[in-house]
Amino acid sequence: MAPHIYITGDSEADQLLSNNPLALLLGMLLDQQVAMETAFAGPAKIKSRLGTLDAATIADYDADAFVELCRTPPAVHRYPGNMAARIQTLCRTVVDEWDGEAAAIWTRGEPDGPEVLKRLKGLPGFGVQKAQIFLALLGERYDFTGSGWREAAGHYGENGCFRSVANITDAESLAKVRETKRAAKAAAKQKA
């Protein structure tokens, strides 16, 4: 049974995230400097414009044409040129290192949580925090059960927290995550 992802508020985009591991991975890549809903809706926009969401197709697509595809309103991201290049680079890595199968990153060889974290941190565009959030998303929403995933995900893996996209299951939990993020930003600003 496929997981049910609730992030974008658009049932079609959420269904794509639920059924397509590459969509989920690309949504996480896009999740910076835009609202979560916008970031995770990006893969559905790409699929509707390209006709597919296939790592090899995206990686091999003409770079200038892909920038235009990402720039077309509504844009895939606030910074379509920069993010188009990042999307293509990530897709090239998925093709070259994971045989075009994004899910292989967390399934090949039945890896544990620390191994998946290491694999995610090795992806272009994924630093420690993004990798930990994505690992928590896999554990919370994608039924990843590799041992030690909660510990490897750091505080994003804490049971019952509302820190990230991994903890969103409905409109109420989305509001809780937003409030947690607001409070963290306010605390950081006050500290500075």
Side-chain angles (χ1 to χ4, degrees), residues 2-186:
H4 177 70
I5 303 295
Y6 177 95
I7 299 173
T8 68
D10 175 288
S11 60
E12 201 171 300
D14 285 340
Q15 190 64 38
L16 181 64
L17 296 168
S18 299
N19 295 326
N20 186 314
L22 181 62
L24 194 68
L25 193 66
L26 293 177
M28 190 74 237
L29 176 71
L30 293 166
D31 190 17
Q32 59 187 54
Q33 299 179 315
V34 294
M36 290 178 290
E37 298 91 335
T38 301
F40 282 90
K45 292 173 187 171
I46 294 168
K47 184 177 186 237
S48 72
R49 296 168 190 178
L50 199 55
T52 185
L53 198 67
D54 171 73
T57 301
I58 293 170
D60 294 338
Y61 207 77
D62 176 79
D64 292 335
F66 194 69
V67 168
E68 287 309 310
L69 180 144
C70 290
R71 182 175 284 141
T72 301
V76 168
H77 192 274
R78 176 180 179 178
Y79 301 107
N82 185 14
M83 294 313 286
R86 288 181 182 208
I87 290 166
Q88 287 192 290
T89 300
L90 178 58
C91 285
R92 174 54 54 209
T93 300
V94 169
V95 170
D96 293 348
E97 297 179 16
W98 301 101
D99 301 320
E101 298 296 326
I105 297 165
W106 56 91
T107 61
R108 184 180 295 161
E110 298 182 28
D112 62 12
E115 175 61 24
V116 172
L117 181 65
K118 179 182 169 187
R119 292 175 181 185
L120 291 167
K121 289 189 318 187
L123 296 174
F126 278 70
V128 174
Q129 183 179 29
K130 193 174 288 271
Q132 286 183 315
I133 292 169
F134 194 77
L135 178 57
L137 181 58
L138 293 174
E140 293 287 353
R141 300 284 152 262
Y142 249 72
D143 298 325
F144 173 71
T145 58
S147 65
W149 75 261
R150 284 194 185 278
E151 295 80 9
H155 67 273
Y156 297 105
E158 291 174 7
N159 205 3
C161 72
F162 292 96
R163 285 194 177 91
S164 73
V165 69
N167 311 114
I168 300 171
T169 58
D170 54 23
E172 184 180 336
S173 56
L174 172 63
K176 288 179 181 180
V177 168
R178 287 221 177 283
E179 183 50 41
T180 300
K181 286 182 168 216
R182 267 192 280 271
K185 283 182 183 179

